[in-house]
Amino acid sequence: MDFATYYVAARALWEGKDLYQIDGSQWFALGKESGIPTALGIYVYPPLFALLMTLLAWLPFSAAAMVWGAITWASFLGSAYLFARWVRLPTWPFLLCALLFLPVSVTMNYGQSNGILLFLILLAWLSLHAPSAWTQGWGAVALSIAIWVKMWPALLGLYFCLSRKFLRPLLWTGIAFLGLGGLQALILGSERWMRFLRVGFPDLLRLLMLQPPHNPLWRSFSGPLFDSARPHTMPLAALPFVLLVTWLLLRRSHLGSAYDLSLVLSPIPLIARFQEYHHLVLLLIPLWTLIAEGAKGTLPRLSWVLAMGGGMIVNAHWILGWLVVRRGLGIGAPLYTSYTLPLLGTFLIWMALTWSRLARQMEAPIIKRIRDEADAPASGDGE
């Protein structure tokens, strides 16, 4: 369904239609004309994504879907390879984790874009930490594309603001972001671009904050989400605690950027309703970080247990969903629709990261004292 939405949005741009004020009958008629054999959603993303998809919109839908599937799989393979190079370990443990983590297969089934976002974020993070200004520039472009595809990767920019040592990457990202915005304005034309800024962008913010959008098509499509919105199973009082601990750990960061990135991404599914969809793919980076620490023998046993439990609970949610939707298991429907399992699994993975970081910080002074004592000259008369 998601790829069908991207595909129709690209064809709408092709025909000069306005993505942010298109009539519902025109939208679904365009989907029918495009030969879409599946359900069609509503395009609620910035225009850059649709512009990039015009490259696939030249193909028939079935051929374009196969190409998109290959691109998505390549993004997961590329992400596993990048991370393995980053932590200097073989690629296969991280690829195996991706294959066993069920949100990945769900993302593939829906034709979602989060695998590509995963690759862009990893590429950006590695490049922005490189000493070369040229490499940092390319990393800033990758992060800017991710922000223009979906808005939430801008949270990484917030991390740059909190980390004084990352002011130059923040500047590079801002320049690349504005450059991509100007390129979109040139391609779309002033009228459609201004309509996105005045109509589409505010509605995207409303959706991000779980507020009903003003756009009637978006409102009609997203209405059930707001009508049946349930409060988070995790108490709202716990969210400030999670964010405060994450911020304190990031401020005292001495363990390398893999932990930093994991601590930035892991609370995201706890903050918004991302756990309902396929953004749980982003938990691959925290899981990969913990696997890397475990392979090096530096992961506390409690962190390993929490990480394994969290991953298994997230998988259990999708298995339960398959039983409820495909097999009509009514008894499990309340648990599946409450999203208790993904929230609990995400929280356990965050706890695994947090405990590992705290354990390392508590051990650091002890290790330093032992090394200082070992390096100190022997006292006495030298006998």
Side-chain angles (χ1 to χ4, degrees):
M1 183 176 85
D2 292 280
F3 176 69
T5 303
Y6 312 150
Y7 183 85
V8 173
R11 295 187 68 88
L13 280 184
W14 227 11
E15 299 182 8
K17 293 182 171 62
D18 192 329
L19 288 176
Y20 305 100
Q21 285 192 329
I22 190 172
D23 181 75
S25 59
Q26 290 182 334
W27 174 258
F28 290 106
L30 185 58
K32 189 175 181 179
E33 294 170 7
S34 303
I36 304 297
T38 183
L40 183 62
I42 302 297
Y43 187 81
V44 289
Y45 309 99
L48 179 65
F49 197 15
L51 287 170
L52 294 174
M53 282 292 163
T54 55
L55 299 174
L56 290 179
W58 290 90
L59 298 173
F61 178 76
S62 57
M66 286 192 291
V67 173
W68 179 248
I71 293 172
T72 309
W73 267 121
S75 68
F76 285 113
L77 292 171
S79 298
Y81 176 76
L82 283 178
F83 195 91
R85 290 288 301 273
W86 187 7
V87 297
R88 297 182 176 87
L89 288 173
T91 305
W92 69 265
F94 311 112
L95 180 57
L96 182 63
C97 176
L99 294 174
L100 295 177
F101 197 50
L102 289 183
V104 173
S105 61
V106 176
T107 289
M108 292 294 301
N109 184 47
Y110 276 78
Q112 252 284 345
S113 62
N114 290 301
I116 294 174
L117 288 181
L118 181 78
F119 178 77
L120 287 172
I121 288 171
L122 270 175
L123 181 63
W125 197 266
L126 291 172
S127 301
L128 293 173
H129 283 73
S132 168
W134 177 257
T135 306
Q136 287 188 3
W138 281 110
V141 171
L143 182 56
S144 301
I145 292 174
I147 296 172
W148 275 117
V149 169
K150 290 190 177 180
M151 296 172 59
W152 64 260
L155 292 172
L156 296 179
L158 178 62
Y159 167 67
F160 292 153
C161 292
L162 295 175
S163 306
R164 299 174 185 174
K165 58 185 177 181
F166 293 121
L167 290 179
R168 189 171 70 172
L170 177 64
L171 177 62
W172 276 112
T173 303
I175 292 173
F177 181 80
L178 293 176
L180 282 173
L183 182 62
Q184 292 175 77
L186 286 175
I187 297 174
L188 293 173
S190 59
E191 182 179 351
R192 286 193 291 174
W193 177 247
M194 291 305 298
R195 195 168 291 121
F196 162 70
L197 294 180
R198 287 197 299 260
V199 179
F201 182 70
D203 268 348
L204 289 177
L205 290 178
R206 291 186 186 95
L207 285 172
L208 198 63
M209 296 184 293
L210 304 180
Q211 299 296 320
H214 291 330
N215 187 307
L217 179 58
W218 292 15
R219 183 186 289 267
S220 64
F221 188 79
S222 306
L225 171 67
F226 304 109
D227 294 341
S228 62
R230 299 178 177 85
H232 287 307
T233 307
M234 181 180 178
L236 293 178
L239 290 179
F241 167 76
V242 169
L243 297 177
L244 176 63
V245 172
T246 301
W247 179 68
L248 290 174
L249 291 172
L250 287 171
R251 282 184 62 85
R252 299 186 61 186
S253 171
H254 302 290
L255 299 181
S257 53
Y259 259 98
D260 290 347
L261 180 57
S262 298
L263 284 167
V264 170
L265 292 179
S266 58
I268 288 176
L270 298 173
I271 297 170
R273 296 180 68 93
F274 288 133
Q275 74 278 0
E276 295 186 12
Y277 217 44
H278 320 309
H279 298 81
L280 291 171
V281 164
L282 297 169
L283 290 177
L284 277 175
I285 293 177
L287 287 172
W288 284 348
T289 301
L290 294 167
I291 289 173
E293 292 299 309
K296 296 174 183 176
T298 57
L299 189 68
R301 181 174 297 178
L302 178 60
S303 293
W304 183 257
V305 172
L306 290 172
M308 290 291 292
M312 292 172 65
I313 288 173
V314 171
N315 277 356
H317 171 75
W318 294 111
I319 294 172
L320 180 61
W322 181 79
L323 292 172
V324 169
V325 176
R326 298 292 184 185
R327 300 298 179 185
L329 185 67
I331 193 173
L335 180 60
Y336 172 65
T337 55
S338 69
Y339 299 103
T340 302
L341 294 178
L343 280 172
L344 178 60
T346 302
F347 185 70
L348 290 179
I349 292 170
W350 176 81
M351 282 293 295
L353 287 165
T354 301
W355 179 252
S356 178
R357 172 64 65 89
L358 289 174
R360 289 284 293 275
Q361 288 181 352
M362 288 186 292
E363 290 175 359
I366 300 174
I367 295 173
K368 183 177 184 300
R369 189 180 68 207
I370 294 173
R371 288 175 177 171
D372 291 343
E373 291 176 355
D375 294 340
S379 59
D381 56 6
E383 292 184 359

